[in-house]
Amino acid sequence: MPSLPIAANGESSQTQRISYFEAHSPQIGFGWDKIEGVRSDLWKFAAWPPPEELYDGIADPNEERNVAAQHENIVDDLRWQHEEILSAAGVDAYATTQIDLDPTQAAQLAALGYIEAVAAFAEGNVGSPPLY
């Protein structure tokens, strides 16, 4: 594993806490993928959905500039940390699940409100997600 400074104080990921995060509001509200990744004292790394994103939490607290291309080593380090956290929890970071529904099942789930956002998005009735 790389040992790079990824904290504001210059610590490597091996000497500081890395926190896992996931956000389900895009998935619940719009039928989009959840957002998940890890953060350090300085960086926020969004591993999913692609493309990967990296934000400097001090210089860019509103996460307006994805700097992943400028910090490939840090992305590699945080990607490894993300995979390690998921692996420790027994989760494959790259596993995908797709369920094919017949029209009756889809209609039943839509009637319950579970796939309304997906249908609205597919029909072009949902705009960009709100900024939090």
Side-chain angles (χ1 to χ4, degrees), residues 2-115:
S3 178
L4 303 169
I6 61 172
N9 63 6
E11 290 181 352
S12 79
S13 64
Q14 293 175 329
T15 59
Q16 66 163 319
R17 182 172 45 200
I18 302 293
S19 302
Y20 172 83
F21 71 86
E22 51 182 61
H24 289 268
S25 57
Q27 187 177 35
I28 294 167
F30 299 99
W32 300 351
D33 279 330
K34 69 178 178 179
I35 300 170
E36 74 174 52
V38 293
R39 45 179 326 125
S40 71
D41 294 341
L42 176 60
W43 302 103
K44 180 177 181 183
F45 171 67
W48 189 260
E52 296 173 326
E53 299 176 12
L54 180 69
Y55 298 97
D56 182 326
I58 294 173
D60 182 20
N62 293 326
E63 300 175 8
E64 296 174 346
R65 292 176 302 281
N66 178 4
V67 295
Q70 293 83 23
H71 299 284
E72 292 177 10
N73 291 339
I74 293 171
V75 167
D76 289 343
D77 190 25
L78 291 173
R79 181 186 307 116
W80 183 88
Q81 292 289 338
H82 176 252
E83 292 168 4
E84 284 295 302
I85 289 169
L86 292 178
S87 178
V91 176
D92 180 351
Y94 302 104
T96 59
T97 303
Q98 182 173 350
I99 300 172
D100 293 322
L101 300 175
D102 66 48
T104 302
Q105 291 171 318
Q108 290 170 337
L109 289 171
L112 294 170
Y114 289 111
I115 60 173

